[in-house]
Amino acid sequence: MTLIKSISGIRGTIGGTTGDNLTPIDAVKFAAAYGAWLKNDRTKETYRVVVGRDARISGSMIQELVMNTLVGMGIHVIDLGLSTTPTVEVAVPMEHADGGIILTASHNPKQWNALKLLNSKGEFLNGVEGEKILRYAENEDFTFAEVDDLGKITVNDAYIDLHIDEVLDLELVDVDAIKAAKFKVVVDGVNSTGGIAIPRLLDRLGVIPVELYCEPNGHFPHNPEPLKEHLGDICALVVKEKADFGIVVDPDVDRLAFIDETGEMFGEEYTLVACADYVLSETKGNTVSNLSSSRALRDITRKHGGTYHASAVGEVNVVQLMKDTNAVIGGEGNGGIIYPASHYGRDSLVGTALFLTHLAKGNKTVSELKASYPPYFMSKQKIQLTPELDVDGLLETMATTYAHEDISTIDGVKIDFEHHWVHLRKSNTEPIIRIYTEAGTQEEATRVADAMIQEIKKVAGL
């Protein structure tokens, strides 16, 4: 199961056979399906799509296939080249484009790549739109343009700088306060496009960047998911450099994690908590995160007089609930900051600028800031799926077993106990069941997760 088709796009491993992996034929088919959807969704004379990619090794190949497929559909392409997911999202409305495609498999290892699909607002497609594209692809329901009607490719490599301009213009980003603080920050760009964008942002903010793995060559020096077990090098370098903190992003720069000045993880979950704490102190309002995110955001939101809401997992679900509740900030506990004053997409550049402002104004170290927040600890585990496993039936059984607790079934099964919670769900991006738990200590979170895994295996006969 190495080709995963979902409403948000298509993701798979490079090489292998068509339909089982992300081969050139699959890339062309899904790019054509997206083009067909675009042209059927909006009747116009001309169509424009923004395309950018992270630095993974297969990126250039996949991008050329995708762009020239769109050209073959009679669609004009704005080629951002090496870019970030939030930069492409920002570029779509700035270009008055009809949509966007980002070539990135986010935190997946180097053998993976994906087509992430955007609408004319620069936001991920909803379920109805995604299903239409899947049908177009399955039925090969697309017509290519005749020779006089082919699209054209225009290269524009200015958008990372334009994105940074947009971030610096945000009302709650205090450039002067950040410059006055004279921060020194280590950046781990995992040899992808974060190594271009984040140091450039820091430089504009008067922050001294110390670059680690910032060469955008696609050779990830460690597992690209920004979790503690993968980040020993930056933790050591923050201490060695006597830096104020460290910044870690994933390959497409929509997940953001911090390392404190002692070389300890600030915690991906607390990226959103800290940014929300600052935004809510300046702008009263509500917040949203997904069901797998920390209770700490709820606590901070209530402290500032707002209301917290939880959505199903997935950026499109978080964004919709943010719009429905007029949330002033939201995101996901994996370090994804969504700040509507900028745009409705997870954005590590926005998150970095808000965090730096919060630090500069608060006059605290990063470890002191973390200590000021409610202490919660998470365990994030997974069980590999087998083709014969009835996952939906398994989740129904777990919901029935714990029906006497506070249960949510809008996305898998979330069981809220008094002092901890458990969330069980099928992954949208990998053939696994995710088991997330949170409790007041790491030991308790791990114990709860281990016990739940054993219970699931027993029920499933694994």
Side-chain angles (χ1 to χ4, degrees):
M1 191 174 162
T2 48
L3 184 68
I4 301 171
K5 304 166 190 175
S6 73
I7 59 168
S8 60
I10 178 173
R11 179 182 301 236
T13 49
I14 298 299
T17 56
T18 304
D20 291 329
N21 304 79
L22 184 56
T23 69
I25 292 170
D26 294 296
V28 168
K29 182 191 289 189
F30 276 84
Y34 176 74
W37 167 76
L38 211 64
K39 295 175 82 170
N40 283 307
D41 188 59
R42 315 179 86 190
T43 304
K44 313 175 59 186
E45 282 277 322
T46 59
Y47 298 85
R48 290 153 55 82
V49 171
V50 177
V51 180
R53 65 180 174 91
D54 70 13
R56 63 186 62 232
I57 298 163
S58 62
S60 178
M61 174 192 73
I62 296 292
Q63 182 169 3
E64 291 297 327
L65 289 163
V66 166
M67 290 195 303
N68 283 295
T69 300
L70 295 174
V71 166
M73 299 285 292
I75 295 169
H76 300 305
V77 173
I78 300 97
D79 171 13
L80 304 194
L82 287 172
S83 192
T84 77
T85 286
T87 302
V88 177
E89 292 170 347
V90 167
V92 169
M94 288 177 76
E95 283 285 338
H96 304 288
D98 300 285
I101 300 179
I102 309 143
L103 293 320
T104 174
S106 197
H107 63 272
N108 289 82
K110 69 178 182 178
Q111 65 267 32
W112 289 79
N113 212 328
L115 281 66
K116 288 186 176 182
L117 309 176
L118 304 176
N119 63 21
S120 60
K121 297 177 182 176
E123 298 169 11
F124 287 114
L125 305 187
N126 63 34
V128 173
E129 294 163 335
E131 288 290 349
K132 283 181 182 176
I133 290 169
L134 291 175
R135 283 199 298 274
Y136 282 126
E138 187 176 342
N139 299 327
E140 298 192 8
D141 185 10
F142 28 76
T143 304
F144 292 95
E146 295 183 14
V147 69
D148 291 329
D149 299 320
L150 297 175
K152 293 183 174 62
I153 298 174
T154 304
V155 175
N156 188 335
D157 60 4
Y159 265 101
I160 287 179
D161 288 318
L162 292 172
H163 184 186
I164 291 169
D165 289 342
E166 190 266 350
V167 172
L168 300 187
D169 284 342
L170 290 169
E171 186 179 347
L172 293 193
V173 174
D174 193 328
V175 177
D176 291 337
I178 295 170
K179 286 182 175 179
K182 301 188 185 316
F183 291 120
K184 181 181 183 182
V185 176
V186 179
V187 181
D188 180 351
V190 72
N191 283 344
S192 190
T193 50
I196 302 170
I198 299 297
R200 202 176 289 182
L201 170 68
L202 296 179
D203 188 59
R204 294 277 300 277
L205 288 167
V207 176
I208 300 168
V210 178
E211 297 185 12
L212 174 69
Y213 308 136
C214 285
E215 183 65 35
N217 57 26
H219 293 283
F220 304 148
H222 54 75
N223 185 308
E225 189 164 13
L227 303 177
K228 180 177 181 178
E229 56 266 31
H230 309 148
L231 301 176
D233 291 352
I234 186 172
C235 291
L237 191 57
V238 167
V239 175
K240 181 182 176 184
E241 288 285 341
K242 296 184 171 58
D244 293 285
F245 65 101
I247 293 173
V248 184
V249 291
D250 67 337
D252 68 324
V253 203
D254 63 0
R255 288 177 63 172
L256 176 64
F258 299 118
I259 313 296
D260 75 17
E261 76 282 1
T262 72
E264 292 297 318
M265 292 290 293
F266 187 73
E268 257 195 320
E269 292 290 330
Y270 284 84
T271 300
L272 176 56
V273 173
C275 290
D277 184 28
Y278 169 58
V279 169
L280 291 169
S281 72
E282 301 283 340
T283 312
K284 298 304 177 190
N286 303 325
T287 65
V288 172
S289 65
N290 66 42
L291 286 166
S292 285
S293 300
S294 177
R295 279 181 181 174
L297 180 62
R298 178 202 67 181
D299 296 351
I300 289 296
T301 306
R302 289 176 178 175
K303 184 188 86 170
H304 288 288
T307 303
Y308 165 77
H309 302 271
S311 78
V313 173
E315 185 170 328
V316 66
N317 299 315
V318 175
V319 165
Q320 188 57 55
L321 191 55
M322 288 179 70
K323 292 177 178 179
D324 292 344
T325 60
N326 281 325
V328 295
I329 190 169
E332 299 186 285
N334 60 10
I337 304 297
I338 303 174
Y339 185 46
S342 173
H343 65 113
Y344 278 106
R346 294 183 302 176
D347 191 331
S348 296
L349 281 75
V350 168
T352 295
L354 291 174
F355 187 79
L356 282 163
T357 304
H358 191 26
L359 271 187
K361 287 187 166 186
N363 200 27
K364 286 188 176 86
T365 65
V366 173
S367 62
E368 288 169 343
L369 183 64
K370 174 66 180 292
S372 72
Y373 295 133
Y376 291 109
F377 298 84
M378 293 187 79
S379 175
K380 299 182 179 183
Q381 311 273 7
K382 51 193 171 188
I383 296 176
Q384 199 72 29
L385 294 181
T386 56
E388 62 274 7
L389 188 61
D390 178 9
V391 181
D392 293 330
L394 174 63
L395 293 177
E396 283 178 23
T397 299
M398 299 307 292
T400 302
T401 302
Y402 289 97
H404 57 286
E405 301 288 350
D406 183 4
I407 292 270
S408 169
T409 56
I410 64 170
D411 184 7
V413 180
K414 171 87 176 275
I415 311 164
D416 260 303
F417 300 92
E418 184 179 358
H419 299 298
H420 64 271
W421 57 256
V422 178
H423 190 197
L424 313 172
R425 60 180 295 274
K426 284 189 292 187
S427 170
N428 292 329
T429 57
E430 298 175 73
I432 57 175
I433 297 177
R434 296 191 185 279
I435 300 100
Y436 285 9
T437 62
E438 184 175 68
T441 67
Q442 189 62 62
E443 292 75 18
E444 179 66 4
T446 302
R447 185 195 66 75
V448 170
D450 290 344
M452 187 59 66
I453 289 170
Q454 292 309 311
E455 187 171 350
I456 290 170
K457 287 183 174 178
K458 186 175 179 181
V459 170
L462 295 175

